Amino acid sequence: MKANERAKLKIQSLTLNETAEVEKGAEIIKRGGLVAFPTETVYGLGANALNAAAVASIYETKGRPSDNPLILHVSSVEMAAELVKINDMAIALMEKFWPGPLSVVLPVYEDKVPPRTRGGLDTAAVRMPDAAIALALIEKSGIPIAAPSANISGRPSPTDAETIRREIGKKIPLVIDGGETKFGVESTVVDLTGKNAVILRPGGVSKEMLEAALAAKVLLPQDQNIIKRSPGTRYRHYAPLLPLRLCKAGDTPKDNGNWAWIGTSHPSGNPKVKVLFQNTGEYAKELFRTLRKLEESGTEIIYAEIPDDKGIGSALKDRLIRAAGE
Ligand code: AMP
Ligand code: MG
């Protein structure tokens, strides 16, 4: 089964209630408005990707730096092919991982996608999300939807609708509630404009998975002479209002200070608040929500266990490092 068919099947799981919300959302998108909606990674703040004014209001609402480009969300491979110049690597990855948490960066059709959407670059990132509401919203609108995470720039990404209502609810006409998101960390961003694929941001699709699909070596930014980076990685991200420090379970503070612990194993010291996850997947899924909750817990500092660097663990570690500002 291929990407398009998987997307069609996914859309069929939409409930009646969700269909009504999607219809409202599609009308807003077509008018150039903003809609917050769930994907399988985090919630997005979406607008018509081809309408520069609509896209400008995403940046304004989030306070996002204008040179940080957006990911264009599509509901079919054909829709992607109208935006970016697809190559063999892209076809292989789309058919393998779409719909799913993988954004591919390719040369853009500059006359089609406004510079505002792509941060003035001559490339663009496209992705087919694996969530019925998101796919249906794109399909019903009939246009690619540009969507960053639906939070104020720099804050942890929202993984449920309530977080958005509280943070930016007053500024946007519609938040579609689809419950908690499945992955909890954003998509993998992979650059396919060169000879080798380069991971610009780790996410739900790991390096090993990409290498298996391409039968070729996939590079990390540090593997190259000319450092290719996602513009977004220049900025502080995912930051909780409390200081956050990363450490191993055995290296936690021994004092009785007012600290919180998050991780998959017990800390050596005695925290005021302890949040333990079953495994790395749950740690990733719950990270952003937990950081926001701990802000209200009365603790003064968060210690977070460094996860294993495998699978989703590398995406989780990346988010933790950024959240800590390290
Ligand atoms: P966000 O939507 O906030 O999770 O961030 C999207 C990420 O994709 C950011 O890190 C962007 O810099 C990155 N991105 C989007 N478009 C491009 C592009 N054309 N080239 C490189 N990175 C991109
Ligand atoms: Mg974001």
Side-chain angles (χ1 to χ4, degrees):
M1 195 172 34
K2 295 292 182 65
N4 286 351
E5 282 99 274
R6 286 192 294 264
K8 284 216 178 77
L9 264 183
K10 191 91 200 184
I11 288 184
Q12 287 174 12
S13 67
L14 218 62
T15 65
L16 277 178
N17 206 1
E18 288 169 344
T19 305
E21 290 289 284
V22 163
E23 274 163 13
K24 257 194 265 172
E27 287 311 310
I28 296 171
I29 296 285
K30 284 193 268 185
R31 288 203 306 268
L34 299 183
V35 177
F37 64 96
T39 78
E40 81 281 28
T41 59
V42 302
Y43 274 73
L45 181 61
N48 180 349
L50 308 181
N51 175 338
V55 167
S57 62
I58 295 180
Y59 284 89
E60 198 183 309
T61 304
K62 283 182 57 95
R64 183 177 173 103
S66 62
D67 63 348
N68 189 5
L70 305 176
I71 293 168
L72 286 75
H73 294 73
V74 298
S75 57
S76 70
V77 172
E78 289 71 26
M79 193 182 250
E82 286 180 20
L83 307 169
V84 291
K85 296 167 195 162
I86 288 175
N87 56 28
D88 289 347
M89 274 195 289
I91 291 174
L93 295 183
M94 289 168 173
E95 295 299 7
K96 175 82 184 162
F97 298 111
W98 279 11
L102 180 71
S103 301
V104 296
V105 173
L106 289 162
V108 71
Y109 290 112
E110 296 192 30
D111 52 345
K112 187 83 197 254
V113 180
R116 201 80 180 78
T117 308
R118 47 189 162 88
L121 300 176
D122 57 7
T123 55
V126 292
R127 160 169 127 82
M128 185 193 281
D130 189 23
I133 292 175
L135 287 166
L137 184 65
I138 302 160
E139 202 180 67
K140 265 265 173 268
S141 314
I143 28 190
I145 295 183
S149 50
N151 52 277
I152 295 292
S153 216
R155 295 277 293 142
S157 303
T159 53
D160 53 56
E162 181 53 27
T163 303
I164 306 171
R165 288 189 207 110
R166 279 210 244 164
E167 192 168 81
I168 55 167
K170 287 206 180 76
K171 299 192 203 170
I172 54 178
L174 180 65
V175 180
I176 303 180
D177 193 336
E180 293 179 2
T181 60
K182 182 172 153 200
F183 285 94
V185 291
E186 299 80 354
S187 62
T188 303
V189 179
V190 64
D191 182 299
L192 302 179
T193 60
K195 190 168 157 289
N196 286 90
V198 184
I199 293 178
L200 302 181
R201 173 177 77 181
V205 175
S206 67
K207 181 168 183 273
E208 298 75 40
M209 290 160 78
L210 292 171
E211 288 184 331
L214 292 172
K217 197 167 163 45
V218 170
L219 305 179
L220 297 174
Q222 58 266 33
D223 295 333
Q224 311 163 91
N225 296 328
I226 309 159
I227 296 189
K228 227 179 225 177
R229 299 207 311 182
S230 237
T233 58
R234 279 198 296 270
Y235 301 102
R236 175 111 199 256
H237 254 87
Y238 322 117
L241 300 174
L242 295 174
L244 176 74
R245 305 254 186 287
L246 308 191
C247 57
K248 297 194 200 103
D251 295 342
T252 55
K254 302 281 187 287
D255 69 77
N256 288 320
N258 200 359
W259 56 284
W261 169 255
I262 60 173
T264 53
S265 45
H266 287 272
S268 51
N270 258 322
K272 277 260 149 53
V273 183
K274 189 159 62 176
V275 184
L276 290 181
F277 306 107
Q278 301 277 346
N279 50 47
T280 309
E282 197 203 329
Y283 190 177
K285 178 176 186 287
E286 298 298 329
L287 174 71
F288 292 139
R289 198 178 6 258
T290 305
L291 293 180
R292 284 178 183 267
K293 270 193 201 141
L294 288 175
E295 290 172 353
E296 287 157 26
S297 69
T299 53
E300 279 154 20
I301 181 165
I302 304 166
Y303 287 87
E305 183 177 2
I306 303 168
D308 267 353
D309 223 344
K310 282 180 297 195
I312 192 79
S314 76
L316 173 61
K317 188 171 167 187
D318 169 80
R319 305 311 186 271
L320 283 167
I321 289 171
R322 285 167 206 275
E326 283 177 11

